[in-house]
Amino acid sequence: MIEGRLDQHSATFAAGHQAVCLFVNDDGSAPVLKILADCGVSFIAMRCAGFDKIDVEAAESLGISVARVPTYSPHSIAEHAISLMMCLNRRLHHAHMRMHQWDYSLSGLVGFELHGKTVGVVGTGAIGSALCAVLKGFGCLVLAHDLKPSAHCQGMGVEYVSLEELLQRSDVVSLHCPLLPSTKHMISAQRLALMKPGAMLINCSRGGLVDTLALIEALESGHIGAAGLDVYEREGPLFFANLGEMELNERMQSWDRNFQILKSFPNVLITPHSAFLTQEALQSIAQTTIVNLTEFQLGQSLSYQVCPCPEAGVPFIPAGQH
């Protein structure tokens, strides 16, 4: 096991190994993959669902197969999204801090009932579907947008609409879709402007889905009432490390002005890409990763392989993994 992320400097540690196991923010760009291939690596086992940091087309050209963990306890992430909603809505983080300051006043802690509110879920795969079920239990009107509507969600009474209609009607919008060229900054300034004044935005999917500068402007203007983020589009140098233990010069190399601005808002709650972090999810990730490595070792067909689409040149997920 190698501490630290995969990059052009650490890739040479893979010399003499046929496979490497990567996580969500490891650098899988073409230059790094070339180093891995030169070291003899022919298989990448991603211990996560996302693969947007992997140049899958370059991997194939270098003879490197890529497999992922397509789903691991989607309830973990769905429940985290609910946690962000409830904490922001009822100002739990502010109430907690006040208690430590001997401030037991109620001013500024007024929230709203989630029951009866309209919540829009963008992406109804395993995680989005699990979230829809929880929201229906709260008594919410649930809208959804997905290129492939889920029969399961429709059976729960979820209404599928266009993304624009979802943004216009929802009190809360929660993102649960992959980061692809077609979804990069899908929540843009124009789409943020479509949202209800004071609406809440939740993102437990991929940071690149949201235009950070546009979100900052929407928060500053008051148009967006709150944002709960478990991801950030430039989280790579920040998350999964304790920067507080670093020397100042080293820490400043990871300084991100926009991230600091986001953190400063009292109506923004950020967690360090930890929505997946439950005992059940970790066990599932380990089990599927072992399956992927075993199939590779035995020369079997990879059940959870990610391949480049021959027509569009972008990754696609084989049938059965949606």
Side-chain angles (χ1 to χ4, degrees):
M1 180 176 176
I2 299 172
E3 293 291 338
R5 299 184 180 91
L6 173 68
D7 56 25
Q8 294 190 56
H9 302 291
S10 61
T12 53
F13 287 119
H17 298 82
Q18 294 176 291
V20 293
C21 184
L22 308 184
F23 199 43
V24 62
N25 282 328
D26 284 314
D27 183 355
S29 60
V32 175
L33 294 176
K34 178 63 167 57
I35 298 173
L36 291 178
D38 291 343
C39 289
V41 172
S42 58
F43 182 62
I44 294 176
M46 299 296 296
R47 57 184 190 276
C48 56
F51 50 86
D52 49 276
K53 297 293 178 66
I54 304 296
D55 188 332
V56 182
E57 193 170 29
E60 184 182 60
S61 69
L62 292 166
I64 299 176
S65 300
V66 181
R68 67 181 190 130
V69 181
T71 181
Y72 42 88
S73 187
H75 303 287
S76 299
I77 299 172
E79 290 171 9
H80 193 84
I82 290 289
S83 299
L84 291 175
M85 290 181 203
M86 297 303 296
C87 187
L88 283 165
N89 171 30
R90 302 304 298 269
R91 278 71 165 176
L92 298 181
H93 50 317
H94 295 307
H96 176 71
M97 293 303 296
R98 284 188 187 183
M99 296 295 287
H100 288 282
Q101 299 166 359
W102 297 75
D103 181 355
Y104 308 130
S105 64
L106 301 180
S107 176
L109 300 181
V110 178
F112 58 81
E113 289 186 356
L114 198 57
H115 178 86
K117 296 300 185 292
T118 300
V119 181
V121 179
V122 182
T124 52
I127 297 168
S129 296
L131 178 63
C132 288
V134 177
L135 291 169
K136 294 297 288 186
F138 271 96
C140 299
L141 171 63
V142 182
L143 306 179
H145 174 73
D146 198 301
L147 297 179
K148 300 181 72 173
S150 163
H152 175 64
C153 288
Q154 290 174 322
M156 289 189 282
V158 173
E159 179 185 355
Y160 279 86
V161 297
S162 68
L163 179 58
E164 286 68 27
E165 183 177 347
L166 181 149
L167 296 173
Q168 290 170 336
R169 293 174 56 187
S170 298
D171 300 296
V172 181
V173 174
S174 192
L175 307 178
H176 300 281
C177 48
L179 178 60
L180 300 169
S182 59
T183 60
K184 173 76 171 179
H185 286 180
M186 66 183 301
I187 303 301
S188 60
Q190 293 77 14
R191 284 179 168 151
L192 286 167
L194 292 176
M195 294 176 65
K196 287 183 176 181
M200 181 188 298
L201 178 66
I202 303 293
N203 187 7
C204 288
S205 187
R206 287 292 177 267
L209 298 175
V210 179
D211 183 335
T212 301
L213 287 176
L215 177 59
I216 289 173
E217 292 177 2
L219 287 162
E220 287 179 336
S221 71
H223 181 68
I224 295 299
L229 311 172
D230 186 56
V231 289
Y232 172 63
E233 66 175 322
R234 296 175 60 186
E235 69 183 50
L238 299 170
F239 290 0
F240 309 132
N242 185 353
L243 272 62
E245 294 180 343
M246 298 178 180
E247 295 293 334
L248 180 60
N249 290 340
E250 184 181 4
R251 189 188 314 164
M252 292 305 294
Q253 293 176 14
S254 300
W255 181 265
D256 187 309
R257 185 183 302 273
N258 292 335
F259 187 70
Q260 299 304 318
I261 293 173
L262 278 176
K263 285 202 307 178
S264 72
F265 288 111
N267 53 344
V268 172
L269 186 60
I270 304 175
T271 51
H273 207 138
S274 58
F276 75 98
L277 200 58
T278 63
Q279 295 175 356
E280 294 83 357
L282 291 174
Q283 182 177 8
S284 178
I285 290 169
Q287 289 173 340
T288 304
T289 301
I290 290 172
V291 168
N292 289 335
L293 289 166
T294 301
E295 289 177 344
F296 164 73
Q297 183 181 31
L298 298 177
Q300 298 175 348
S301 176
L302 299 172
S303 300
Y304 305 116
Q305 185 172 10
V306 179
C307 307
C309 176
E311 296 180 359
V314 297
F316 82 105
I317 304 168
Q321 294 189 41
H322 295 289

